[in-house]
Amino acid sequence: MVVIAISGSVGSGKTTFTKSLAKELGINILHLNELAKEYKLEEIKELQTFDFDLDALLDNFENELKNKKYENIIIESHFAHLINPELVDILFVINRDLSLLKIEYKNRNYNDQKIQDNLEVESFNLCFYEAEEAGYFVGNEKIGTLSNENEKEEHIARVFSFDNNKTIQDLVKKAIRKLQKYEFIEVEK
């Protein structure tokens, strides 16, 4: 069983990457943004979006994860990095060049305020740093795990930041190498 989370700024390529990775792995996808509609509080017209009860959504969703409602799944959203790292095996944060993001936002007909806000989030790599603050273990550093009779093995959720500056297939290959390295999927022989 593997639980993969994919986060990143709006327009970074999360959904395209998620679909390609899920197809390659043969596992299901859950788009948290779809769930967010069930927790909608109000429309925010000037930002072309809506506000929702993030805490309630995460509480309910994390309970479902704890109860094993979802297994072998990719969870995708611009706020997937806020899921409790004890419930996720690995997190990929997708980044994108600001000039390409700006073009993407204009193609989506975002207003100037929404473009500025989203570019600011990406420029600070906010999703990655929030993931680190939430308790995700950054990258490839070595860390020991507990494993004796009195203590169960410590769960370590790792976060990796991928730049979406090549092809989606390149990102998928990179993700698969990480999943194999940390033994979330088997290496093909």
Side-chain angles (χ1 to χ4, degrees):
M1 181 189 100
V2 65
V3 176
I4 301 167
I6 297 176
S7 192
S9 297
V10 173
S12 62
K14 295 179 304 298
T15 303
T16 304
F17 169 66
T18 298
K19 288 177 182 176
S20 295
L21 183 61
K23 183 177 180 183
E24 187 74 28
L25 297 175
I27 62 177
N28 293 319
I29 301 169
L30 182 94
H31 300 283
L32 281 184
N33 292 0
E34 293 300 315
L35 279 181
K37 294 173 185 173
E38 297 174 26
Y39 296 87
K40 183 177 176 178
L41 298 173
E42 66 179 320
E43 289 285 333
I44 305 174
K45 292 189 189 309
E46 60 273 9
L47 294 178
Q48 298 170 291
T49 190
F50 61 91
D51 192 14
F52 63 97
D53 189 340
L54 178 62
D55 292 333
L57 183 153
L58 288 176
D59 286 346
N60 290 332
F61 181 69
E62 288 172 354
N63 280 331
E64 291 175 343
L65 280 174
K66 286 176 195 169
N67 294 322
K68 308 286 187 209
K69 180 176 179 181
Y70 304 103
E71 296 181 347
N72 291 321
I73 192 160
I74 299 176
I75 305 160
E76 181 266 337
S77 174
H78 66 282
F79 57 90
H81 61 279
L82 299 175
I83 298 169
N84 182 338
E86 293 177 7
L87 304 172
V88 173
D89 295 306
I90 195 164
L91 166 66
F92 298 118
V93 176
I94 307 303
N95 303 305
R96 195 164 184 196
D97 180 86
L98 294 177
S99 61
L100 296 174
L101 270 179
K102 190 170 187 176
I103 292 167
E104 178 68 27
Y105 297 154
K106 287 184 183 279
N107 288 339
R108 293 180 180 194
N109 294 316
Y110 288 179
N111 64 34
D112 290 341
Q113 184 63 51
K114 185 165 183 160
I115 290 172
Q116 180 182 346
D117 289 353
N118 282 303
L119 289 175
E120 194 172 289
V121 166
E122 180 66 13
S123 69
F124 291 116
N125 201 2
L126 194 60
C127 295
F128 182 81
Y129 291 109
E130 285 182 344
E132 188 177 17
E133 286 177 8
Y136 285 88
F137 185 76
V138 178
N140 294 316
E141 296 175 36
K142 301 279 185 214
I143 186 168
T145 58
L146 305 173
S147 56
N148 65 37
E149 297 171 6
N150 300 325
E151 300 179 52
K152 63 181 186 175
E153 188 172 306
E154 180 182 2
H155 178 81
I156 300 168
R158 296 181 187 273
V159 58
F160 295 92
S161 182
F162 289 173
D163 291 330
N164 183 6
N165 56 9
K166 294 187 179 178
T167 67
I168 291 297
Q169 201 51 43
D170 288 332
L171 288 179
V172 168
K173 288 177 186 174
K174 194 173 182 180
I176 288 174
R177 285 193 302 272
K178 295 294 183 193
L179 290 164
Q180 289 171 334
K181 178 178 180 174
Y182 295 104
E183 301 177 352
F184 295 117
I185 61 173
E186 291 185 21
V187 177
E188 291 182 19
K189 296 178 182 184

